[in-house]
């Protein structure tokens, strides 16, 4: 049975909140003071035993200094705690409402007695604080475990080591230097930094290693890995504490990363913290091995067993997959939704919808186009290659300078990740091939061999008629989803209208599918025109012709081949993916964005969230009162003052001080905010996904380290060196000085016996 707070104008109950609830004290005098402070006249006639048995006050009515958290699961009051924080006026704003907990009107005599008692209690508290301070100062030394001189020195030494590890992570410094000849001892950055600390006067490290033999490593590989693990786990635990407090989260995965010849899946969690701010944090890498079922089991074990989360609280999932991993991650998403229906599979806000749709198509020709796009984007990151492309654009469009200027602007930073990427790529193809030819010729030797080799490889891929047809088909089919996808990555109002426009998008795609012969004819002619411009021969792929001859089947015309093997699979694949990603449940969730006041205003406050609220009914603190609360929520904003601006985003709405008076709406918005399709609030800092990509790009793949990656991406998370030292000493007690001394004695005895 839930506990209700007995304080006037307080509607909290234990099922709605993580707050602690405290019984009235059995001591008659203290109990009487509690009742007087509550101003509940109906409680004055009850005995202290009755009050202790049947009535509670929540922690919000006590000074935080009076509340002690003895463990993560237990909260108690100090013996002298008195409730002093009450709302005794809010009922006056609605005098016609009936109140079960009536507030007692105080007489002048009552006020005088309360003042006298408060004065006496404040004097007692002041005296008790002084006594407690004296006791604390004398007992602190008694309570703390006494460390020997060796143990203190060992802890200082560990602190120095952890400081170096954290610095390596923050500054993107690999453990091993990039340049080291085979003949000489391989340079170790960790050891070099310890040398620097010793030379700078770090006595703890110096004393530890002053007797170490020359050329001996300061730490073994095992000890270094232990340090890295402790650092990584400490930082991760800081973030997981916030996730557990917020309860609801969404799971986001990134592109595969390879460590030690094994592929790993980056894991991100999206959640709303206690300050009602949406966060997306990088937590770990998951080994990408085995089939879909094994991967799901490993993922569940990671989140539940290792991190202490519940998959029942997962409200969304998004997987950024490319190449052969696309099909596998789709299957993972389906398996997770079968087990946890509210873990809605959606596209991620980091990726343009058209890019996501193209990546999701398992056809080899489409995957070649997407891989070539990624390689092209990486190729033109240097100023030298960018200048060469601009020169090629100017040369090709010299008779149409306006289009050339527009194309230069369109192919700015990140053009390969935009919604209109295939439109830009098609216009860019002729100058792009011209640019690659010039780099391959390498007149004057301006480009390195690796660059010219990449240019030749990209040019050979793009100068293929099958690839050109695929680009043309993708461009035309994804035109129908471009505006829809752009709205999904827009503001809250845009996302709401996108959810309501999906029917029109599917209708357009169905219309294309029903008239595929007509559309294919136009698109094929466009592809032939592009190919003729670049003098690329129109032909059926050689591999297909070889298989056809082997099967002794008659030759197929090029137009029929590309219709059957490119146009039809692409249009049907896109339709299926859109339907899967925006199921009825997903759309219901997105239509609940009408809770945001600006969306309500746009809809003339004629919204029907109740029709979609059943998706998250079990997540609400009091679902039975939701209709009435939603009515009050609409009225509040409909009849606002002219100077009051309607909040436009979930974040703005959650920051309102009075949203806490609408507990169902508050919970609803927090759950919606975690959906991965909604964009993160604009901030000065990059997203965790962008920081991960930047870190991996800053050094060669053979220098990557999982633990240092974790530290680098999460530099904003508190790094408590003392916590790391304590954790290390608990996990690896064999490394402490006493254990080392014992092992040395045993070794000496063995030597004597021999």
């Amino acid at each position: 049975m839930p506990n209700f707070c007995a304080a006037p104008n307080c509607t909290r109950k234990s099922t709605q909140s993580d707050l602690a609830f405290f019984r009235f004290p059995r001591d008659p005098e203290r109990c009487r003071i509690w009742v007087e402070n509550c101003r509940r006249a109906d409680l004055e006639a009850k005995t202290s035993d009755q009050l202790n048995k049947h009535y509670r006050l929540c922690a919000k009515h006590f000074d935080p200094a009076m509340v002690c958290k003895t463990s993560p699961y237990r909260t108690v009051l100090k013996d002298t705690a008195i409730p002093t924080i009450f709302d005794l006026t809010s009922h006056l704003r609605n005098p016609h409402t009936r109140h079960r907990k009536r507030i007692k009107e105080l007489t002048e005599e009552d006020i005088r007695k309360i003042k006298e008692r408060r004065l006496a209690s404040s004097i007692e508290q002041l005296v008790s604080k002084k006594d407690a301070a004296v006791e604390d100062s004398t007992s602190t030394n008694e309570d703390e475990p006494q460390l020997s001189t060796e143990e203190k020195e060992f802890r200082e030494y560990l602190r120095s080591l952890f400081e170096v590890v954290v610095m390596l992570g923050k500054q993107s410094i690999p453990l091993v230097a990039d340049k080291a000849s085979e003949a000489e001892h391989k340079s170790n950055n960790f050891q070099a930094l310890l040398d620097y600390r010793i030379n700078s006067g770090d006595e703890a490290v110096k004393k530890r290693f002053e007797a170490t033999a020359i050329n001996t490593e300061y730490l073994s590989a095992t000890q270094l890995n232990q340090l890295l693990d402790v650092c990584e786990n400490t930082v991760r635990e800081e973030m997981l504490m916030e996730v557990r407090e917020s309860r609801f989260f969404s799971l986001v995965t990134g592109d595969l990363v390879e460590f030690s010849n094994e592929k790993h899946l980056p894991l991100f969690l999206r959640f709303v913290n206690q300050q009602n701010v949406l966060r997306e944090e990088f937590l770990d890498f998951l080994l990408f091995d085995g089939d879909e079922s094994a991967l799901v089991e490993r993922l569940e074990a990671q989140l539940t067993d290792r991190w202490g989360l519940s998959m029942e609280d997962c409200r969304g999932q998004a997987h950024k997959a490319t190449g052969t991993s696309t099909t596998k991650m789709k299957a993972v998403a389906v398996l997770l939704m079968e087990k946890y229906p509210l873990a809605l599979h959606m596209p991620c806000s980091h990726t343009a919808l058209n890019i996501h749709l193209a990546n999701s198509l398992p056809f080899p020709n489409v995957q070649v186009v997407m891989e070539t796009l990624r390689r092209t984007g990486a190729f033109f990151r240097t100023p030298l290659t960018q200048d060469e492309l601009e020169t090629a654009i100017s040369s090709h469009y010299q008779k149409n300078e306006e289009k050339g200027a527009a194309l230069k602007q369109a192919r700015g930073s990140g053009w390969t990740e935009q919604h209109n990427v295939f439109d830009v790529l098609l216009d860019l193809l002729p100058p792009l091939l011209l640019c690659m030819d010039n780099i391959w010729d390498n007149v004057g030797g301006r480009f390195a061999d690796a660059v010219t080799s990449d240019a030749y490889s990209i040019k050979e891929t793009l100068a293929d008629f099958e690839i050109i047809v695929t680009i043309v088909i993708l461009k035309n089919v994804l035109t129908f989803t471009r505006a829809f996808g752009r709205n999904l990555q827009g503001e809250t109002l845009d996302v709401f209208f996108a959810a309501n426009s999906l029917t029109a998008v599917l209708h357009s795609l169905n219309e294309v599918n029903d008239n595929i012969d007509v559309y294919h004819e136009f698109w094929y002619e466009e592809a032939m025109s592009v190919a003729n411009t670049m003098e690329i021969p129109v032909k059926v792929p050689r591999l297909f012709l070889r298989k056809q001859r082997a099967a002794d089947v008659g030759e197929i015309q090029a137009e029929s081949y590309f219709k059957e093997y490119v146009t039809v699979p692409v249009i049907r694949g896109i339709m299926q993916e859109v339907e899967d990603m925006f199921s009825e449940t997903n759309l219901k969730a997105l239509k609940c964005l009408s809770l945001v006041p600006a969306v309500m205003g746009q809809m003339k406050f004629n919204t029907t969230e109740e029709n979609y609220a059943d998706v998250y009914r079990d997540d609400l603190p009091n679902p039975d009162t939701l209709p009435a609360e939603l009515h009050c929520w609409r009225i509040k904003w409909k009849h606002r003052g002219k100077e009051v601006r309607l909040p436009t985003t979930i974040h703005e709405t959650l920051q309102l001080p009075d949203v806490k008076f609408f507990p169902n709406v508050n919970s609803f918005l927090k759950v919606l905010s975690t959906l991965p399709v909604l964009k993160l609030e604009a901030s000065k800092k990059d997203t965790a996904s962008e920081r991960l990509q930047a870190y991996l790009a800053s050094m060669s793949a053979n220098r990557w380290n999982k633990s240092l990656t974790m530290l680098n991406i999460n530099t904003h998370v508190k790094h408590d060196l003392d916590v790391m030292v304590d954790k290390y000493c608990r996990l690896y007690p064999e490394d402490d000085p006493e254990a080392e001394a014992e092992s040395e004695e045993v070794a000496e005895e063995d030597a004597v016996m021999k």
Side-chain angles (χ1 to χ4, degrees), residues 258 300 307 332 413 429 572 632 747:
E258 193 167 310
E300 286 183 284
W307 295 353
V332 167
S413 177
L429 263 181
R572 291 179 181 171
C632 294

Side-chain angles (χ1 to χ4, degrees), residues 42-112:
D42 57 314
L43 300 184
E44 290 182 352
K46 300 184 184 296
T47 65
S48 58
D49 287 336
Q50 289 175 321
L51 292 168
N52 177 264
K53 186 175 181 180
H54 299 294
Y55 292 87
R56 312 281 191 278
L57 288 179
C58 70
K60 286 290 185 182
H61 305 292
F62 295 86
D63 188 303
M66 295 290 104
V67 181
C68 304
K69 201 171 182 69
T70 57
S71 77
Y73 311 101
R74 179 171 171 77
T75 305
V76 298
L77 284 176
K78 291 186 177 180
D79 293 338
T80 57
I82 300 293
T84 55
I85 304 170
F86 293 97
D87 173 15
L88 303 174
T89 59
S90 64
H91 66 288
L92 300 176
R93 292 193 287 271
N94 195 2
H96 302 292
T97 305
R98 294 181 61 189
H99 293 276
R100 180 176 59 83
K101 299 181 281 190
R102 294 188 178 277
I103 299 175
K104 176 183 177 181
E105 298 296 331
L106 297 179
T107 63
E108 291 185 3
E109 181 64 19
D110 291 333
I111 294 172
R112 185 183 62 78

Side-chain angles (χ1 to χ4, degrees), residues 336-549:
L336 284 175
M337 280 198 68
E338 286 176 358
K339 286 188 173 184
Y340 311 103
L342 287 181
L344 304 180
H345 184 207
M346 293 183 165
C348 184
S349 61
H350 305 324
T351 306
L353 179 64
N354 280 357
I355 297 289
H356 170 84
L357 293 174
N359 278 330
S360 70
L361 299 175
F363 314 121
N365 54 324
V366 176
Q367 291 301 322
V368 168
V369 169
M370 300 311 294
E371 177 60 26
T372 306
L373 261 179
R374 289 188 286 274
R375 290 177 60 197
T376 303
F379 184 84
F380 288 107
R381 282 181 186 154
T382 63
L384 197 59
T385 53
Q386 288 174 6
D387 291 344
E388 193 67 34
L389 181 57
E390 291 218 356
T391 303
I393 293 173
S394 300
S395 175
H396 182 78
Y397 289 105
Q398 57 185 339
K399 295 182 180 179
N400 191 348
E401 293 183 359
E402 185 177 345
K403 186 170 183 179
L407 195 55
K408 287 179 184 179
Q409 186 175 3
R411 63 123 224 114
S413 177
W415 69 274
T416 57
E417 299 170 1
Q418 299 301 315
H419 299 277
N420 63 340
V421 57
F422 300 106
D423 300 75
V424 176
L425 178 59
L426 209 56
D427 290 336
L428 195 62
L429 263 181
L432 184 61
L433 291 183
L434 176 61
C435 171
M436 295 301 183
D437 283 336
N438 293 337
I439 293 175
W440 170 243
D441 291 340
N442 200 17
V443 177
R446 293 187 303 149
F447 299 99
D449 291 343
V451 176
T452 58
S453 177
D454 285 344
Y456 180 79
S457 175
I458 294 172
K459 178 193 71 168
E460 288 296 299
T461 302
L462 291 175
D464 184 286
F465 186 65
E466 183 183 19
I467 297 302
I468 291 174
V469 172
T470 304
I471 294 171
V472 170
I473 301 302
L474 286 171
K475 182 207 81 166
N476 286 288
V477 173
L478 294 174
T479 299
F480 298 102
T481 58
R482 187 194 305 160
F484 174 72
R486 190 175 283 117
N487 284 337
L488 274 181
Q489 286 191 313
E491 299 300 330
T492 307
L493 186 61
D494 300 323
V495 180
F496 175 77
F497 285 124
N500 287 278
S501 68
L502 181 66
T503 305
V505 174
L506 289 173
H507 176 77
S508 299
L509 291 172
N510 274 304
E511 197 270 336
V512 172
N513 187 51
D514 293 341
N515 300 278
I516 194 66
D517 292 335
V518 177
Y519 281 94
H520 173 73
E521 185 179 346
F522 283 113
W523 297 343
Y524 185 72
E525 286 180 5
E526 182 182 356
M528 288 183 63
S529 174
V530 173
N532 290 334
T533 302
M534 297 181 291
E535 299 178 349
I536 295 172
V538 175
K539 60 181 181 179
V540 175
R542 180 181 56 82
L543 181 61
F544 178 80
L545 289 175
R546 192 179 68 185
K547 289 180 179 178
Q548 208 176 28
R549 292 191 188 103

Side-chain angles (χ1 to χ4, degrees), residues 25-259:
R26 280 200 174 91
D27 177 58
E29 181 58 26
R30 283 189 65 218
C31 188
R32 182 179 61 80
I33 297 173
W34 280 40
V35 172
E36 284 185 359
N37 285 4
C38 282
R39 300 266 296 276
R40 288 276 303 275
D42 57 314
L43 300 184
E44 290 182 352
K46 300 184 184 296
T47 65
S48 58
D49 287 336
Q50 289 175 321
L51 292 168
N52 177 264
K53 186 175 181 180
H54 299 294
Y55 292 87
R56 312 281 191 278
L57 288 179
C58 70
K60 286 290 185 182
H61 305 292
F62 295 86
D63 188 303
M66 295 290 104
V67 181
C68 304
K69 201 171 182 69
T70 57
S71 77
Y73 311 101
R74 179 171 171 77
T75 305
V76 298
L77 284 176
K78 291 186 177 180
D79 293 338
T80 57
I82 300 293
T84 55
I85 304 170
F86 293 97
D87 173 15
L88 303 174
T89 59
S90 64
H91 66 288
L92 300 176
R93 292 193 287 271
N94 195 2
H96 302 292
T97 305
R98 294 181 61 189
H99 293 276
R100 180 176 59 83
K101 299 181 281 190
R102 294 188 178 277
I103 299 175
K104 176 183 177 181
E105 298 296 331
L106 297 179
T107 63
E108 291 185 3
E109 181 64 19
D110 291 333
I111 294 172
R112 185 183 62 78
K113 288 181 179 179
I114 289 173
K115 285 182 177 179
E116 289 177 355
R117 186 167 57 253
R118 285 182 179 173
L119 179 62
S121 66
S122 63
I123 294 172
E124 289 177 8
Q125 287 182 8
L126 185 61
V127 172
S128 64
K129 281 182 181 178
K130 288 182 178 179
D131 294 341
V134 173
E135 289 178 9
D136 287 344
S137 62
T138 56
S139 63
T140 299
N141 294 331
E142 297 174 3
D143 294 339
E144 287 184 357
Q146 296 297 315
L147 299 176
S148 65
T149 304
E150 291 79 5
E151 288 172 326
K152 288 180 180 178
E153 290 176 351
F154 180 66
R155 283 175 169 266
E156 282 299 316
Y157 155 70
L158 283 178
R159 204 175 194 283
S160 296
L161 296 185
F162 281 120
E163 206 168 343
V164 171
V165 171
V166 170
M167 196 269 285
L168 286 171
K170 282 186 175 182
Q171 301 300 323
S172 304
I173 303 173
L175 289 173
V176 180
D178 274 328
K179 295 180 180 179
S181 64
E182 295 295 332
E184 64 185 15
H185 184 268
K186 214 167 191 178
S187 176
N188 183 309
N189 288 331
F190 183 79
Q191 189 161 332
L193 285 171
L194 287 181
D195 282 332
Y196 178 78
R197 289 188 71 97
I198 291 173
N199 295 332
S200 300
D202 190 325
E203 293 298 328
V205 180
K206 183 178 180 180
K207 188 171 182 180
R208 181 80 178 175
F209 294 121
E210 59 186 4
T212 304
I214 298 174
N215 293 331
T216 300
E217 288 191 356
Y218 291 145
L219 286 175
S220 66
T222 302
Q223 289 173 314
L224 182 55
N225 287 332
Q226 290 171 352
L227 288 173
L228 291 168
D229 286 343
V230 169
C231 272
E232 179 184 349
N233 291 328
T234 303
V235 173
R236 182 185 297 113
E237 187 56 33
E238 286 288 336
M239 293 182 288
L240 285 174
M241 285 174 62
E242 292 192 82
V243 180
R244 295 186 199 109
E245 288 175 352
S246 64
R247 183 184 169 189
F248 298 112
F249 63 91
S250 284
L251 173 68
V252 180
T253 64
D255 286 324
L256 294 179
V257 179
E258 193 167 310
F259 293 104

